[in-house]
PDB file of all heavy atoms in Angstrom:
ATOM      1  N   ILE A 142      24.604  28.194   1.966  1.00 88.00           N
ATOM      2  CA  ILE A 142      25.606  27.818   2.973  1.00 88.00           C
ATOM      3  C   ILE A 142      26.987  28.257   2.504  1.00 88.00           C
ATOM      4  O   ILE A 142      27.759  28.845   3.258  1.00 88.00           O
ATOM      5  CB  ILE A 142      25.587  26.292   3.232  1.00 88.00           C
ATOM      6  CG1 ILE A 142      24.230  25.848   3.793  1.00 88.00           C
ATOM      7  CG2 ILE A 142      26.732  25.861   4.131  1.00 88.00           C
ATOM      8  CD1 ILE A 142      23.897  26.386   5.159  1.00 88.00           C
ATOM      9  N   ASN A 143      27.280  27.995   1.237  1.00 91.00           N
ATOM     10  CA  ASN A 143      28.583  28.362   0.707  1.00 91.00           C
ATOM     11  C   ASN A 143      28.776  29.867   0.705  1.00 91.00           C
ATOM     12  O   ASN A 143      29.852  30.366   1.044  1.00 91.00           O
ATOM     13  CB  ASN A 143      28.766  27.807  -0.714  1.00 91.00           C
ATOM     14  CG  ASN A 143      30.145  28.108  -1.246  1.00 91.00           C
ATOM     15  OD1 ASN A 143      30.304  29.007  -2.063  1.00 91.00           O
ATOM     16  ND2 ASN A 143      31.130  27.379  -0.760  1.00 91.00           N
ATOM     17  N   ALA A 144      27.734  30.612   0.371  1.00 92.00           N
ATOM     18  CA  ALA A 144      27.839  32.072   0.375  1.00 92.00           C
ATOM     19  C   ALA A 144      28.111  32.591   1.786  1.00 92.00           C
ATOM     20  O   ALA A 144      28.850  33.558   1.956  1.00 92.00           O
ATOM     21  CB  ALA A 144      26.557  32.696  -0.180  1.00 92.00           C
ATOM     22  N   LYS A 145      27.535  31.937   2.787  1.00 92.00           N
ATOM     23  CA  LYS A 145      27.707  32.375   4.163  1.00 92.00           C
ATOM     24  C   LYS A 145      29.058  31.950   4.738  1.00 92.00           C
ATOM     25  O   LYS A 145      29.729  32.727   5.413  1.00 92.00           O
ATOM     26  CB  LYS A 145      26.580  31.829   5.033  1.00 92.00           C
ATOM     27  CG  LYS A 145      26.585  32.359   6.445  1.00 92.00           C
ATOM     28  CD  LYS A 145      25.341  31.938   7.208  1.00 92.00           C
ATOM     29  CE  LYS A 145      25.342  32.578   8.581  1.00 92.00           C
ATOM     30  NZ  LYS A 145      24.111  32.322   9.294  1.00 92.00           N
ATOM     31  N   LEU A 146      29.472  30.706   4.460  1.00 93.00           N
ATOM     32  CA  LEU A 146      30.681  30.166   5.079  1.00 93.00           C
ATOM     33  C   LEU A 146      31.919  30.202   4.181  1.00 93.00           C
ATOM     34  O   LEU A 146      33.032  30.107   4.674  1.00 93.00           O
ATOM     35  CB  LEU A 146      30.430  28.724   5.543  1.00 93.00           C
ATOM     36  CG  LEU A 146      29.314  28.545   6.574  1.00 93.00           C
ATOM     37  CD1 LEU A 146      29.146  27.071   6.915  1.00 93.00           C
ATOM     38  CD2 LEU A 146      29.581  29.371   7.825  1.00 93.00           C
ATOM     39  N   GLY A 147      31.702  30.296   2.866  1.00 92.00           N
ATOM     40  CA  GLY A 147      32.828  30.374   1.930  1.00 92.00           C
ATOM     41  C   GLY A 147      33.534  29.043   1.726  1.00 92.00           C
ATOM     42  O   GLY A 147      33.080  27.987   2.153  1.00 92.00           O
ATOM     43  N   GLY A 148      34.674  29.132   1.072  1.00 92.00           N
ATOM     44  CA  GLY A 148      35.474  27.934   0.800  1.00 92.00           C
ATOM     45  C   GLY A 148      34.694  26.900   0.015  1.00 92.00           C
ATOM     46  O   GLY A 148      34.035  27.213  -0.966  1.00 92.00           O
ATOM     47  N   LEU A 149      34.765  25.680   0.472  1.00 94.00           N
ATOM     48  CA  LEU A 149      34.053  24.576  -0.172  1.00 94.00           C
ATOM     49  C   LEU A 149      32.889  24.088   0.687  1.00 94.00           C
ATOM     50  O   LEU A 149      32.419  22.961   0.537  1.00 94.00           O
ATOM     51  CB  LEU A 149      35.017  23.417  -0.449  1.00 94.00           C
ATOM     52  CG  LEU A 149      36.176  23.741  -1.402  1.00 94.00           C
ATOM     53  CD1 LEU A 149      37.125  22.560  -1.519  1.00 94.00           C
ATOM     54  CD2 LEU A 149      35.637  24.127  -2.775  1.00 94.00           C
ATOM     55  N   GLU A 150      32.422  24.926   1.596  1.00 93.00           N
ATOM     56  CA  GLU A 150      31.365  24.530   2.523  1.00 93.00           C
ATOM     57  C   GLU A 150      30.032  24.330   1.798  1.00 93.00           C
ATOM     58  O   GLU A 150      29.703  25.058   0.875  1.00 93.00           O
ATOM     59  CB  GLU A 150      31.184  25.589   3.618  1.00 93.00           C
ATOM     60  CG  GLU A 150      32.420  25.846   4.448  1.00 93.00           C
ATOM     61  CD  GLU A 150      32.884  24.619   5.222  1.00 93.00           C
ATOM     62  OE1 GLU A 150      32.040  23.825   5.678  1.00 93.00           O
ATOM     63  OE2 GLU A 150      34.114  24.462   5.382  1.00 93.00           O
ATOM     64  N   ALA A 151      29.302  23.318   2.237  1.00 92.00           N
ATOM     65  CA  ALA A 151      27.969  23.031   1.701  1.00 92.00           C
ATOM     66  C   ALA A 151      27.137  22.407   2.810  1.00 92.00           C
ATOM     67  O   ALA A 151      27.675  21.900   3.793  1.00 92.00           O
ATOM     68  CB  ALA A 151      28.060  22.088   0.507  1.00 92.00           C
ATOM     69  N   ALA A 152      25.828  22.430   2.649  1.00 88.00           N
ATOM     70  CA  ALA A 152      24.925  21.850   3.638  1.00 88.00           C
ATOM     71  C   ALA A 152      24.979  20.331   3.565  1.00 88.00           C
ATOM     72  O   ALA A 152      25.104  19.752   2.493  1.00 88.00           O
ATOM     73  CB  ALA A 152      23.503  22.325   3.380  1.00 88.00           C
ATOM     74  N   LYS A 153      24.885  19.689   4.729  1.00 88.00           N
ATOM     75  CA  LYS A 153      24.695  18.249   4.785  1.00 88.00           C
ATOM     76  C   LYS A 153      23.199  18.012   4.645  1.00 88.00           C
ATOM     77  O   LYS A 153      22.408  18.551   5.418  1.00 88.00           O
ATOM     78  CB  LYS A 153      25.188  17.690   6.114  1.00 88.00           C
ATOM     79  CG  LYS A 153      26.675  17.814   6.320  1.00 88.00           C
ATOM     80  CD  LYS A 153      27.053  17.242   7.684  1.00 88.00           C
ATOM     81  CE  LYS A 153      28.526  17.431   7.957  1.00 88.00           C
ATOM     82  NZ  LYS A 153      28.889  16.926   9.296  1.00 88.00           N
ATOM     83  N   LEU A 154      22.810  17.227   3.660  1.00 91.00           N
ATOM     84  CA  LEU A 154      21.395  17.018   3.385  1.00 91.00           C
ATOM     85  C   LEU A 154      21.055  15.542   3.296  1.00 91.00           C
ATOM     86  O   LEU A 154      21.836  14.748   2.775  1.00 91.00           O
ATOM     87  CB  LEU A 154      20.996  17.655   2.050  1.00 91.00           C
ATOM     88  CG  LEU A 154      21.189  19.149   1.889  1.00 91.00           C
ATOM     89  CD1 LEU A 154      20.896  19.557   0.460  1.00 91.00           C
ATOM     90  CD2 LEU A 154      20.288  19.901   2.841  1.00 91.00           C
ATOM     91  N   ILE A 155      19.889  15.203   3.783  1.00 94.00           N
ATOM     92  CA  ILE A 155      19.268  13.909   3.506  1.00 94.00           C
ATOM     93  C   ILE A 155      17.953  14.265   2.833  1.00 94.00           C
ATOM     94  O   ILE A 155      17.155  15.027   3.374  1.00 94.00           O
ATOM     95  CB  ILE A 155      19.015  13.103   4.792  1.00 94.00           C
ATOM     96  CG1 ILE A 155      20.327  12.785   5.493  1.00 94.00           C
ATOM     97  CG2 ILE A 155      18.257  11.816   4.460  1.00 94.00           C
ATOM     98  CD1 ILE A 155      20.147  12.115   6.846  1.00 94.00           C
ATOM     99  N   MET A 156      17.722  13.713   1.653  1.00 94.00           N
ATOM    100  CA  MET A 156      16.528  14.070   0.901  1.00 94.00           C
ATOM    101  C   MET A 156      15.636  12.852   0.723  1.00 94.00           C
ATOM    102  O   MET A 156      16.112  11.755   0.454  1.00 94.00           O
ATOM    103  CB  MET A 156      16.913  14.622  -0.478  1.00 94.00           C
ATOM    104  CG  MET A 156      15.730  15.109  -1.273  1.00 94.00           C
ATOM    105  SD  MET A 156      16.183  15.989  -2.779  1.00 94.00           S
ATOM    106  CE  MET A 156      16.734  14.665  -3.802  1.00 94.00           C
ATOM    107  N   TYR A 157      14.355  13.067   0.889  1.00 95.00           N
ATOM    108  CA  TYR A 157      13.351  12.037   0.635  1.00 95.00           C
ATOM    109  C   TYR A 157      12.403  12.620  -0.405  1.00 95.00           C
ATOM    110  O   TYR A 157      11.698  13.586  -0.128  1.00 95.00           O
ATOM    111  CB  TYR A 157      12.588  11.694   1.911  1.00 95.00           C
ATOM    112  CG  TYR A 157      11.698  10.482   1.771  1.00 95.00           C
ATOM    113  CD1 TYR A 157      12.005   9.301   2.425  1.00 95.00           C
ATOM    114  CD2 TYR A 157      10.547  10.519   0.993  1.00 95.00           C
ATOM    115  CE1 TYR A 157      11.197   8.183   2.314  1.00 95.00           C
ATOM    116  CE2 TYR A 157       9.744   9.409   0.861  1.00 95.00           C
ATOM    117  CZ  TYR A 157      10.064   8.242   1.526  1.00 95.00           C
ATOM    118  OH  TYR A 157       9.268   7.136   1.405  1.00 95.00           O
ATOM    119  N   SER A 158      12.421  12.068  -1.586  1.00 95.00           N
ATOM    120  CA  SER A 158      11.575  12.569  -2.662  1.00 95.00           C
ATOM    121  C   SER A 158      10.331  11.694  -2.788  1.00 95.00           C
ATOM    122  O   SER A 158      10.436  10.485  -2.948  1.00 95.00           O
ATOM    123  CB  SER A 158      12.366  12.564  -3.982  1.00 95.00           C
ATOM    124  OG  SER A 158      11.571  13.070  -5.032  1.00 95.00           O
TER     125      SER A 158
END
Side-chain angles (χ1 to χ4, degrees):
I142 298 294
N143 183 257
K145 187 172 184 174
L146 300 178
L149 298 176
E150 301 298 325
K153 294 179 184 178
L154 300 173
I155 298 174
M156 184 171 73
Y157 190 110
S158 181

